[in-house]
Amino acid sequence: MSPRHPVLAGVGAYLPPRVVTNDDLAVGLDTSDAWIRGRTGIAERRFAGAGTSTADLAVEAGTLALKSSSESEADAVVLATATPDHPLPGTAPEVAARLGLAGAAAYDVSAVCAGFLYGLASAAGLIAAGYARRVLLIGAETFTSIIDPADRGTAVIFADGAGAVVLRAGDAGEPGAIGHTDLGSDGTHKDLIVVPGGGSRQRTSGEPAGPRDHYFQMAGRDVYRHAVERMSGSARTALEHAGWAVADVDRFVPHQANAKISAAVADRLGLHPGRVLSNIARTGNTSAASVPLLLAHAAADRRLRPGHRVLLAAFGGGLAWGASTLVWPDVTALTEG
Ligand code: UT7
């Protein structure tokens, strides 16, 4: 039987060109550069302009990841996003078609900020089950399409962007081989991160739609606490499966929710702060796009190098979380923006 272990073979990232600084946001909001930097580590972020959708960003990142993998083909396209182009159909089929992959399996994965880890498990599973030999996995978001610009608790944090990886069928022992991906959820806290309107629950509630129901809402303090707890727990489980001690981890790639959350998770794990990668200062929180964006940016500027043992972890609405491991392979990351 030909090998069926999912192996990372390419990585790409795309950020839309418009840079929005903390000072730009402070013009219309009761906030400040000092507050945003101090509480989150964010200095600037990118906003997609009117007329640019999640599919548009996904196509850019997907093109770069395919090019990075030196092949233009894939049997499946998995798109992790919480901001699809439409409530239906899924956005992945359009992305696949625009990449010249019409006919490939294509579907969206909805797990908000944990979306890339859920997508990773799904894409890896397609290869392990023999359904696909090559999968393009994209995390893409236009969070500006659901953020209330008047809500200083979220408007200063979330932003737009896309990152992508190509997985191919290979051997479990080679660099790039994806480790066991730990996933978990706790829907008893579903209201901590929610867009209240637009779904069947609103229709059945009997209440008329409120003016802010289509905006993203987050109970930041509570989410922070759960994020630290769940990301560190999931990371520990992924490390156990890999047979790695914490000291074996060369680079930690956490979802970029907040620099303080990343530091707190590393602290809980007993991981040296110098091994924690970050790009939140220039990207903000890009939800499902954040992990592949960070992989691509860090590989491009050599903070992430072939042979590094990498730990991935993410957490978000649902609540949902996940973690995985891999040894970084010799790939050329392609980034734009
Ligand atoms: O990615 C998916 C998962 N998301 C996360 O993991 C996000 C987790 N949460 C967080 O990162 C943090 O909770 C935030 C960055 C969202 C907020 O930071 P915080 O330190 O938890 O602030 P807070 O919400 O407890 O608010 C503290 C104060 C409040 O004022 P009072 O009540 O103390 O007077 C807020 O009104 O800060 C105020 N505040 C702001 N002030 C200036 C909230 N947002 C802002 C702002 N500028 N943008």
Side-chain angles (χ1 to χ4, degrees):
M1 198 170 73
S2 48
R4 280 190 183 178
H5 195 93
V7 175
L8 189 140
V11 58
Y14 177 78
L15 289 173
R18 184 178 160 213
V19 177
V20 177
T21 64
N22 294 340
D23 285 337
D24 291 336
L25 292 177
V27 171
L29 277 174
D30 181 13
T31 189
S32 65
D33 178 56
W35 192 96
I36 301 168
R37 273 182 208 260
R39 299 275 181 141
T40 71
I42 300 168
E44 60 184 44
R45 76 286 287 144
R46 302 297 179 93
F47 284 2
T52 300
S53 75
T54 293
D56 299 331
L57 302 181
V59 166
E60 299 289 347
T63 302
L64 293 166
L66 287 168
K67 204 167 161 194
S68 155
S69 79
S70 312
E71 277 198 47
S72 55
E73 291 301 313
D75 312 311
V77 176
V78 178
L79 174 64
T81 187
T83 50
D85 281 20
H86 305 282
L88 67 85
T91 303
E94 175 186 333
V95 172
R98 286 170 57 184
L99 290 169
L101 300 171
Y107 56 92
D108 295 3
V109 167
S110 174
V112 203
C113 298
F116 185 77
L117 267 295
Y118 270 75
L120 184 66
S122 178
L126 290 176
I127 291 173
Y131 296 151
R133 304 282 307 160
R134 288 173 64 82
V135 182
L136 174 61
L137 166 62
I138 308 172
E141 303 280 15
T142 42
F143 245 72
T144 47
S145 64
I146 57 169
I147 288 299
D148 178 353
D151 175 10
R152 67 178 181 171
T154 55
V156 303
I157 295 171
F158 290 91
D160 304 333
V165 299
V166 172
L167 300 184
R168 63 167 170 82
D171 290 308
E174 62 180 307
I178 306 297
H180 172 88
T181 301
D182 177 66
L183 300 176
S185 77
D186 182 357
T188 60
H189 298 294
K190 71 181 174 68
D191 293 329
L192 293 184
I193 291 179
V194 67
V195 175
S200 60
R201 177 57 68 205
Q202 181 164 60
R203 179 175 56 79
T204 57
S205 72
E207 299 288 325
R212 312 193 100 73
D213 281 0
H214 285 79
Y215 284 130
F216 176 93
Q217 298 176 7
M218 177 173 76
R221 258 299 141 98
D222 290 336
V223 170
Y224 189 110
R225 197 167 41 80
H226 286 287
V228 174
E229 175 89 27
R230 295 304 190 177
M231 277 169 79
S232 40
S234 194
R236 271 194 209 101
T237 305
L239 290 177
E240 272 166 33
H241 279 278
W244 295 357
V246 170
D248 293 332
V249 175
D250 297 308
R251 295 292 181 266
F252 178 38
V253 177
H255 162 54
Q256 300 293 283
N258 181 328
K260 288 178 138 184
I261 292 178
S262 302
V265 172
D267 186 55
R268 276 212 182 184
L269 291 172
L271 185 68
H272 190 279
R275 297 184 179 185
V276 182
L277 294 180
S278 171
N279 62 353
I280 196 169
R282 61 179 284 235
T283 62
N285 181 341
T286 58
S287 184
S290 88
V291 169
L293 268 168
L294 179 53
L295 288 174
H297 288 165
D301 65 22
R302 306 276 301 155
R303 282 178 293 164
L304 184 54
R305 290 189 295 277
H308 275 153
R309 283 161 299 195
V310 182
L311 171 66
L312 313 173
F315 172 89
L319 303 174
W321 57 86
S324 194
T325 56
L326 77 158
V327 174
W328 193 249
D330 192 4
V331 289
T332 303
L334 297 177
T335 64
E336 256 180 53

